[in-house]
Amino acid sequence: MSIRNPRLPLLPGYGSNPLIGKKNFGVRPLFTCIDKVNMLVDKQDNLNRVPSLYCRKQAPDLPTWIMYDKHILRFKAFFQQSLHEMRSAAHILRKVDIYFFLEDGTIKVMEPRTENSGLSQGILISRQRIRLPFSYDLYYDVLDINIGREVTFFGKVFKIVNCDNFTRVFLNRLGINVPDPIPWPDAIERIHDSGRPPKHRPFRQFLDFDRQVLRFYGYWDDRESEFGVMHNLEIHYFLADDTIEIKEVFPPNSGTEAGPMFLKRMRLPRKIPAHVQMTGGPKSPSYTPGDLSIGAVLNVFGRNVVLTDCDPYTKEYYRITYGFDAFTPLPAPSNVGTECIGANMAERQLPPWNGYGSYDDSAENCRTVEPKAPHKDFMKFLHKDRVGFDSHTLRFAARLINDNPEDARRYFIIKYFLCDDTIGVFELCERNSGFKGGKFFRRDKMYLPDVEFFVPKEPPAYTDHDMWVGNELVINKHRFRLIAADEYALRYMEVNEYPMANVPLIMDKIRRTLASQENGYKNFVAKYMEAVLAGQKELMPVRCFKQALNEIMCEKMTEHEFLTIMRYFRGDLGKEQSHRREMVRSLVFTDITRGLWDDRERLREGLKHADEAGTGVLPVHRLRQLLRAHRLPLHLDLMNCMLQVLQKDENCNILCDDLMSFLDFQTRPIFNLTEDDYQKVVRHAPPVKDTECKLWAEAETFIHEGYVNWNAFLCQLNLEHLVKDQS
């Protein structure tokens, strides 16, 4: 570029070009330090290199790309786009968001996407520094963007009308006044046109209500005409263009194929005058959403369609838009004598079962000409099939009951499969017994005794609620008595709260029995207090405990309920208690170490805060809440096992010091447990096949040699007030 004297005219020969005679045109590298960061620049140091956030020649101590990382100013703006190919409008208003990045002074303009708008929306201007109009070295700064101003980006003029709260607070802290928001131009136009009649804008209606459909159910009674029937209809009202379509719903197996629509999608006029039908004329007003409601009658070109009900979306639309709250469905008139024969074909009476094959197989062959496999409950199979350690199979030990003394020594295993409600019976033989062990009855659905089998409907069968210790099952005219259950079956029934394994229900039954007897609870406690072990004030032998419950309950409790109560209040003695405590402590140590939990001091403070009276003990439920509040990474089953092995006082409250010593892992526990030990102690994994012979022996050992926590049982009864009232 030539350098000239401004006093001389701009003519050839009156100026000089400094590039004439120059041979080296390379750019000299310049090194400088910007915000304490060494970098290579390609311009002289006479330009403004300071961030756009501050005044000239004033910069923060830290680099801006560190201090203002992810700090973005957001402004609301709009611009007008001219429409050269449309007569209805000269321009269209487009709303955008302007983002100003404080870390480097870049700007990005993005337009929110509107579905079915027909416009290319999204990022209009990618993130970059934008020069000021008619400038080559000055860029837009934070001082140049504010509410009420117009900014020009690449020839487009944007009017800023609003900003977010962060932008307003940030600019106010810099001393920049931010005006109040400016209403959008469409809102201004709406205010100016409030006195004029409303304009119909189909494109705006299409954008606001596209794919929003009101669905009503109705009928058209055509039985007065010859061969007329009742037509069940679905009425669809499209809010995008105020059109209606009606389709007919046919019952299944009616023999009628779905033909064309009852009414194709169109604007349905409310009434067609005679002169319009003959000669044509102005269009009649069509139905609107305000004309549709439950009980309304639509005139569909001379056919009266009655609306009886609507779907949940339609109810919510009328509740919000019109304030309707009553949506009582109207009953459709009876259609006696006009229904198709095939409509109730599936409900016909089946012939009695002939005994060949299963009932489901025979019934399916009677329903269809082509034999098909019976349909099973597939969802139940998915949820109750074997998954890992959960076999979903309840196993019980049983004895055969009859007059033959040789059968009294026979031992059976009855398996109940929860996935399909079938039962399988297997016999465990002894050597030189004369009986062959193995499968006794194959796996099948077992029906209740003394019922009629050869009937059209399937007779009732045994369910999982019939499987409990002490019950008698009659399977193929063989009477079995369930005498024991494996650990998985007992645990499964307790977790899923079966009636015979529900501890609250059983305790409530005992509580009501003692409360109904005069001096019942007082005599019960006084009589069996002597059975408590000497030196162990809270332990009682299981044999004495069962005798005590038998005397007060008589025949009101089943064997399974006795077993559930004894398992729930089970107590250990001496080395067994210490051994179980150390095993549970090892499991707790493993989970806490794996979860990286080390907040014992905070737990100690929480225990002191919860213990307002300073007694040093807390109830079990309150302690469980504190442990979960302090985020102990323990499974709920493991936490319950830990609370059971902790020391308790006479009122069944847990000692806080014992809990803290239990969680003090300065020395690693002596037991290194495997996954099998964890399943045995906590989750009670299903038994292995080689332990079937020991199933009943373990139950008998517990009944004869086990112990029950007597104090915990009395605390659970909670009948101390009866003793005070009787005294």
Side-chain angles (χ1 to χ4, degrees):
M1 183 177 181
S2 61
I3 300 176
R4 69 180 184 87
N5 191 349
R7 297 181 181 180
L8 298 178
L10 184 58
L11 295 175
Y14 286 92
S16 62
N17 191 350
L19 300 180
I20 297 177
K22 189 175 181 180
K23 297 181 180 180
N24 186 8
F25 295 93
V27 179
R28 181 181 178 183
L30 300 175
F31 294 91
T32 184
C33 181
I34 299 178
D35 296 337
K36 297 182 180 181
V37 178
N38 298 326
M39 61 180 61
L40 176 66
V41 298
D42 57 351
K43 293 184 179 180
Q44 296 291 338
D45 197 14
N46 55 0
L47 299 178
N48 182 18
R49 296 180 286 98
V50 299
S52 60
L53 172 62
Y54 291 92
C55 302
R56 301 296 184 256
K57 303 301 181 181
Q58 184 179 3
D61 296 333
L62 294 176
T64 57
W65 53 272
I66 295 179
M67 180 175 293
Y68 301 107
D69 183 27
K70 298 181 182 179
H71 287 195
I72 305 172
L73 304 183
R74 181 183 178 187
F75 297 90
K76 297 285 187 180
F78 70 91
F79 72 97
Q80 293 181 355
Q81 180 180 357
S82 301
L83 301 177
H84 303 286
E85 300 179 357
M86 295 183 63
R87 294 184 179 181
S88 60
H91 61 270
I92 185 175
L93 184 69
R94 302 182 65 174
K95 302 177 182 180
V96 298
D97 293 335
I98 300 177
Y99 298 92
F100 186 89
F101 297 84
L102 295 174
E103 55 179 321
D104 53 1
T106 54
I107 297 175
K108 182 176 72 172
V109 180
M110 186 173 63
E111 181 180 7
R113 296 184 183 273
T114 303
E115 194 173 5
N116 297 328
S117 64
L119 302 174
S120 179
Q121 298 175 326
I123 298 178
L124 301 183
I125 301 177
S126 61
R127 180 177 175 180
Q128 57 183 303
R129 296 190 68 186
I130 302 177
R131 291 186 176 92
L132 291 172
F134 310 105
S135 176
Y136 293 94
D137 55 353
L138 296 180
Y139 296 87
Y140 273 101
D141 199 352
V142 70
L143 302 175
D144 303 323
I145 305 177
N146 206 337
I147 296 178
R149 292 191 178 184
E150 294 183 356
V151 293
T152 304
F153 298 156
F154 301 105
K156 293 183 180 180
V157 181
F158 297 87
K159 178 73 173 181
I160 302 176
V161 297
N162 199 357
C163 65
D164 59 0
N165 186 44
F166 171 77
T167 303
R168 183 178 296 274
V169 173
F170 187 84
L171 294 179
N172 289 337
R173 290 181 177 179
L174 294 180
I176 302 175
N177 184 25
V178 181
D180 295 335
I182 301 175
W184 296 97
D186 55 352
I188 299 176
E189 183 179 356
R190 195 180 303 114
I191 295 174
H192 293 335
D193 296 343
S194 59
R196 307 175 187 175
K199 299 180 181 180
H200 179 65
R201 299 182 178 180
F203 184 67
R204 180 60 179 272
Q205 182 181 359
F206 170 75
L207 294 179
D208 294 341
F209 300 102
D210 183 31
R211 292 192 292 185
Q212 297 186 20
V213 184
L214 306 180
R215 181 168 66 172
F216 290 88
Y217 304 99
Y219 66 89
W220 171 46
D221 192 357
D222 190 33
R223 292 178 295 182
E224 296 181 357
S225 61
E226 187 177 4
F227 304 113
V229 295
M230 180 78 68
H231 299 269
N232 297 321
L233 307 174
E234 277 191 13
I235 299 92
H236 300 161
Y237 188 94
F238 298 87
L239 296 173
D241 53 359
D242 297 327
T243 56
I244 295 178
E245 74 173 9
I246 303 176
K247 70 175 183 179
E248 187 171 0
V249 181
F250 297 97
N253 300 327
S254 63
T256 304
E257 297 182 357
M261 300 290 291
F262 188 83
L263 176 68
K264 68 177 183 179
R265 183 174 176 179
M266 60 179 297
R267 289 180 179 269
L268 182 62
R270 301 177 185 173
K271 185 178 181 182
I272 303 179
H275 67 278
V276 175
Q277 297 179 1
M278 299 297 296
T279 61
K283 295 183 179 180
S284 176
S286 59
Y287 282 100
T288 62
D291 301 326
L292 306 182
S293 62
I294 298 178
V297 180
L298 303 183
N299 183 10
V300 184
F301 298 102
R303 299 172 177 84
N304 295 327
V305 176
V306 182
L307 306 183
T308 59
D309 199 1
C310 58
D311 61 355
Y313 172 78
T314 306
K315 296 178 182 179
E316 187 66 21
Y317 174 81
Y318 277 92
R319 186 180 292 109
I320 296 176
T321 307
Y322 297 98
F324 291 166
D325 291 330
F327 299 98
T328 305
L330 293 181
S334 60
N335 199 15
V336 180
T338 60
E339 292 185 357
C340 299
I341 299 177
N344 295 328
M345 186 176 298
E347 301 178 0
R348 69 179 185 271
Q349 187 76 8
L350 296 177
W353 182 37
N354 55 9
Y356 293 98
S358 64
Y359 175 84
D360 296 333
D361 191 19
S362 301
E364 195 68 26
N365 292 335
C366 294
R367 293 191 180 100
T368 59
V369 177
E370 182 182 359
K372 295 182 180 180
H375 297 281
K376 296 183 179 181
D377 193 349
F378 186 70
M379 295 304 298
K380 186 175 183 179
F381 171 77
L382 289 179
H383 290 91
K384 298 298 182 181
D385 193 22
R386 181 184 182 91
V387 180
F389 287 111
D390 292 333
S391 62
H392 291 102
T393 302
L394 307 182
R395 303 195 313 163
F396 295 85
R399 292 289 188 182
L400 187 61
I401 302 176
N402 55 22
D403 297 335
N404 189 358
E406 296 179 356
D407 293 337
R409 298 177 55 86
R410 303 175 68 179
Y411 189 74
F412 297 88
I413 298 295
I414 298 179
K415 296 183 180 181
Y416 186 90
F417 301 90
L418 295 171
C419 60
D420 54 359
D421 298 327
T422 57
I423 296 177
V425 182
F426 306 88
E427 182 177 2
L428 299 179
C429 65
E430 298 180 1
R431 297 184 60 182
N432 301 325
S433 63
F435 296 99
K436 182 180 179 181
K439 185 185 297 184
F440 192 78
F441 287 130
R442 66 180 179 87
R443 178 180 174 181
D444 198 0
K445 184 177 290 186
M446 302 300 177
Y447 298 99
L448 297 176
D450 301 332
V451 295
E452 187 66 29
F453 287 96
F454 305 105
V455 292
K457 293 186 178 181
E458 184 179 10
Y462 284 108
T463 63
D464 52 346
H465 291 277
D466 298 323
M467 309 299 294
W468 43 271
V469 178
N471 192 20
E472 293 185 0
L473 308 180
V474 179
I475 301 176
N476 294 337
K477 298 182 180 180
H478 290 72
R479 184 176 295 274
F480 295 92
R481 179 178 177 83
L482 305 182
I483 59 175
D486 65 350
E487 186 67 25
Y488 178 81
L490 296 175
R491 179 66 175 171
Y492 182 86
M493 298 178 70
E494 292 171 0
V495 170
N496 293 275
E497 298 182 353
Y498 279 66
M500 295 298 173
N502 194 339
V503 176
L505 292 180
I506 301 174
M507 294 300 297
D508 186 65
K509 182 189 297 185
I510 299 174
R511 190 180 297 111
R512 284 187 281 104
T513 303
L514 290 175
S516 61
Q517 300 176 4
E518 184 178 359
N519 297 330
Y521 178 73
K522 184 177 180 180
N523 297 335
F524 172 73
V525 175
K527 181 177 180 181
Y528 291 97
M529 186 61 69
E530 299 178 356
V532 179
L533 297 180
Q536 299 288 339
K537 297 183 179 180
E538 57 181 14
L539 298 182
M540 174 185 289
V542 172
R543 187 187 301 273
C544 297
F545 183 75
K546 186 176 181 180
Q547 180 181 355
L549 292 181
N550 282 329
E551 289 186 3
I552 62 172
M553 299 301 297
C554 298
E555 301 296 334
K556 297 180 181 179
M557 285 187 65
T558 62
E559 187 69 23
H560 198 107
E561 291 176 331
F562 281 119
L563 186 59
T564 302
I565 290 296
M566 289 185 290
R567 282 170 49 85
Y568 185 78
F569 296 103
R570 181 172 184 173
D572 298 324
L573 183 63
K575 296 182 179 180
E576 296 181 0
Q577 181 178 4
S578 177
H579 181 78
R580 178 176 174 80
R581 178 185 173 95
E582 286 299 325
M583 293 179 67
V584 175
R585 189 165 179 264
S586 300
L587 297 176
V588 173
F589 172 77
T590 303
D591 286 4
I592 287 180
T593 306
R594 187 182 303 167
L596 301 178
W597 184 86
D598 190 9
D599 203 0
R600 295 174 182 81
E601 295 300 328
R602 187 167 176 267
L603 177 60
R604 190 186 302 274
E605 294 178 0
L607 294 176
K608 292 182 179 179
H609 180 73
D611 186 14
E612 299 179 355
T615 57
V617 294
L618 287 175
V620 177
H621 64 90
R622 178 57 177 159
L623 194 58
R624 185 184 294 107
Q625 293 177 356
L626 290 175
L627 294 178
R628 300 189 66 180
H630 286 78
R631 307 289 183 87
L632 256 73
L634 299 179
H635 192 270
L636 185 59
D637 293 338
L638 181 57
M639 185 179 296
N640 292 334
C641 289
M642 182 185 70
L643 296 178
Q644 290 178 3
V645 300
L646 293 177
Q647 296 182 7
K648 304 177 181 62
D649 62 353
E650 298 178 354
N651 297 325
C652 299
N653 297 326
I654 298 178
L655 302 179
C656 299
D657 294 339
D658 185 57
L659 173 64
M660 296 308 301
S661 62
F662 188 89
L663 297 177
D664 186 10
F665 296 123
Q666 296 181 0
T667 59
R668 185 181 180 88
I670 59 176
F671 286 92
N672 295 325
L673 300 182
T674 62
E675 182 65 21
D676 296 336
D677 296 330
Y678 180 78
Q679 299 296 336
K680 182 178 180 181
V681 175
V682 181
R683 296 182 181 173
H684 303 294
V688 193
K689 291 184 178 180
D690 57 3
T691 61
E692 292 179 348
C693 298
K694 302 179 182 179
L695 187 65
W696 184 46
E698 292 179 357
E700 290 293 331
T701 302
F702 170 64
I703 294 176
H704 290 85
E705 301 179 3
Y707 297 93
V708 175
N709 194 325
W710 175 255
N711 287 349
F713 175 74
L714 296 181
C715 292
Q716 189 76 10
L717 279 179
N718 194 18
L719 293 177
E720 298 293 339
H721 61 280
L722 294 179
V723 178
K724 298 179 181 179
D725 296 341
Q726 294 171 2
S727 59

